[in-house]
Amino acid sequence: MADAHDPYDPYDGDRTDGGNGTGNGGDDGGGILRQPKAVWATAGAAVVAFMGIGLVDPILPSIAAGLAASPSEVSLLFTSYFLVTAVAMLFTGFVSSRIGGRRTLLAGLALVVVFAALSGTAGSVDELVGFRTGWGLGNALFVSTSLAVIVGAASGGSAAAILLYESALGLGMACGPLVGAVLGDLNWRYPFFGTAVLMAVGFAAIAAFLREQPPPARKTGLLDPLRALGHGGLASTAAAAFCYNYAFFTVLAFTPFVLHMSPYRSGAVFFGWGLLLAVFSVLVAPRLQRRFGSLRVLGGSLLLLAADLLVLGYGGHAAAVAGTVLSGAFIGVNNTVFTELALGVSDSPRPVASAGYNFVRWFAAAAAPYLAPKLAEWTDTHVPFVVAAVAAVTGAAIVWARRDALRHGAGDAGEPRADRAGRAPAPAASTA
């Protein structure tokens, strides 16, 4: 990626004011805790947005019982959510580059508020799946725009803003299952109403404190993300991430039916999972990359995830619990490395590369929650984890087979060119 200033790139390190127009956003000023109210409002809403991904996890069995639905039918809550997220990635940049980041954020939050509240009123699993589709569209608009907005409004430079965003990701992923468990233990409908209320607060805070930022120098075309996938390195990264995401969301969407635990206990298990995901994504993955190189770390982490999935599928109950929690470590590492490769491996502007990459990988997130319980119904509960393990191994094989294309774009040492250019690496959340 060119080292020259790119006004289209919200992560461009040449901007010394953080994009807030105040001149206070350089690396010498402020810090992660000394941020404008607009940044805290956006980061707070981001926490709730990421909570929504794992919110339904501990209450899937309760929803199935409450709506007289099968596991595969309830798992469509994930499928509908991520299917629309994948498709939406093609036009979120198109929208935000035309109406501005603030309006895009507010539109996304408004959709989440409406459809989260409607989800709590659903009288059938079909209605709930449909409402989750609208929720996924809103979340796609918000998540795809929020990082660029935080970087643009933050003080202390992009590194502090990105660290704050990563922290929001980790906190949301860790707390989502816990909040879902606490409210869902009272009634499976309450987590949806709770999310609507929290997102409404986020909407009000962003409307009050965030000012519209300058539009990008270039507008994103609808087909730009698909054109970006013509780059061999980005296409290889997306293909490997597709396989990885299948394994990831087999854990997230199918494991609650295997654990056979109350919402509280299931929520505690996935809270531990989320904590490991956050710690390994933010703290451990960068250290491993510096020591071993991104491609070695990624391939090794995918193989370890495959082994963990086999233990999860064939071990006893204690092994399943431990395997679920431990998978958060490998998922955290994979999220970080995949994101950095996706944003640094091609010459496309980062928002465009991210959109194309996400368009591919989120289809796996839509497929796994539906196929895993179906495989269990057709065979037994072991098979979904075997298939997920094979998917993880396939992802590692793609990384190995295409290592030259990935190294050519990422650097001779296997590090993303974004790192070699001196820019702070983007967090895993930026592609969520």
Side-chain angles (χ1 to χ4, degrees):
M1 189 173 292
D3 293 339
H5 170 67
D6 183 358
Y8 184 85
D9 187 348
Y11 306 101
D12 196 324
D14 294 340
R15 296 181 68 176
T16 58
D17 66 349
N20 59 8
T22 65
N24 297 325
D27 292 336
D28 296 331
I32 186 173
L33 297 180
R34 298 177 61 185
Q35 299 294 341
K37 292 179 181 179
V39 172
W40 287 114
T42 307
V47 170
V48 182
F50 290 118
M51 280 173 52
I53 295 177
L55 184 79
V56 300
D57 218 48
I59 59 172
L60 286 176
S62 300
I63 294 174
L67 296 178
S70 67
S72 60
E73 289 176 323
V74 172
S75 293
L76 285 172
L77 296 179
F78 286 103
T79 297
S80 61
Y81 182 91
F82 288 116
L83 185 60
V84 73
T85 297
V87 176
M89 285 299 166
L90 293 179
F91 63 82
T92 52
F94 177 88
V95 173
S96 63
S97 65
R98 284 162 174 77
I99 69 173
R102 181 177 182 273
R103 291 189 182 94
T104 304
L105 289 180
L106 292 176
L109 288 173
L111 287 172
V112 172
V113 170
V114 170
F115 285 102
L118 288 174
S119 295
T121 67
S124 68
V125 69
D126 291 338
E127 286 185 8
L128 186 54
V129 168
F131 294 145
R132 281 283 286 183
T133 299
W135 186 341
L137 174 59
N139 216 51
L141 289 170
F142 176 82
V143 170
S144 65
T145 310
S146 56
L147 177 57
V149 169
I150 287 177
V151 171
S155 61
S158 62
I162 288 171
L163 182 58
L164 180 63
Y165 193 80
E166 289 187 45
S167 301
L169 164 68
L171 184 61
M173 292 294 284
C175 291
L178 200 60
V179 172
V182 172
L183 296 178
D185 191 60
L186 302 174
N187 190 296
W188 68 263
R189 299 180 186 274
Y190 290 173
F192 299 113
F193 293 134
T195 300
V197 171
L198 290 174
M199 277 304 205
V201 172
F203 181 96
I206 289 176
F209 298 121
L210 180 65
R211 291 179 296 176
E212 188 59 77
Q213 296 172 315
R218 296 189 336 223
K219 290 182 171 60
T220 302
L222 282 175
L223 298 180
D224 285 355
L226 294 179
R227 294 190 183 101
L229 289 171
H231 185 280
L234 183 61
S236 299
T237 302
F242 178 92
C243 298
Y244 156 64
N245 260 36
Y246 186 93
F248 174 0
F249 283 93
T250 295
V251 174
L252 190 63
F254 182 64
T255 302
F257 294 107
V258 176
L259 294 179
H260 299 295
M261 303 173 85
S262 68
Y264 269 120
R265 292 188 176 185
S266 181
V269 169
F270 278 96
F271 177 70
W273 170 86
L275 283 180
L276 281 186
L277 187 155
V279 169
F280 274 74
S281 176
V282 176
L283 301 177
V284 178
R287 289 177 171 84
L288 292 175
Q289 288 175 274
R290 285 194 295 269
R291 182 167 182 178
F292 301 107
S294 293
L295 300 186
R296 288 194 186 98
V297 170
L298 184 57
S301 184
L302 285 168
L303 293 177
L304 288 172
L305 176 60
D308 182 73
L309 283 162
L310 293 177
V311 171
L312 201 163
Y314 283 93
H317 186 266
V321 171
T324 300
V325 175
L326 183 59
S327 70
F330 307 128
I331 289 170
V333 171
N334 291 333
N335 281 354
T336 294
V337 181
F338 265 123
T339 297
E340 293 184 10
L341 282 176
L343 297 182
V345 76
S346 74
D347 291 326
S348 297
R350 288 177 174 178
V352 174
S354 175
Y357 161 78
N358 278 298
F359 173 71
V360 173
R361 75 172 183 127
W362 284 124
F363 276 109
Y370 179 74
L371 291 178
K374 279 294 185 184
L375 288 171
E377 293 172 10
W378 295 334
T379 55
D380 59 53
T381 57
H382 305 306
V383 173
F385 295 106
V386 173
V387 173
V390 170
V393 171
T394 303
I398 293 173
V399 171
W400 181 84
R402 297 289 295 165
R403 61 192 182 280
D404 290 338
L406 295 174
R407 283 200 184 105
H408 177 73
D412 292 337
E415 299 299 336
R417 282 188 290 175
D419 296 344
R420 294 189 291 115
R423 296 175 183 172
S430 66
T431 62

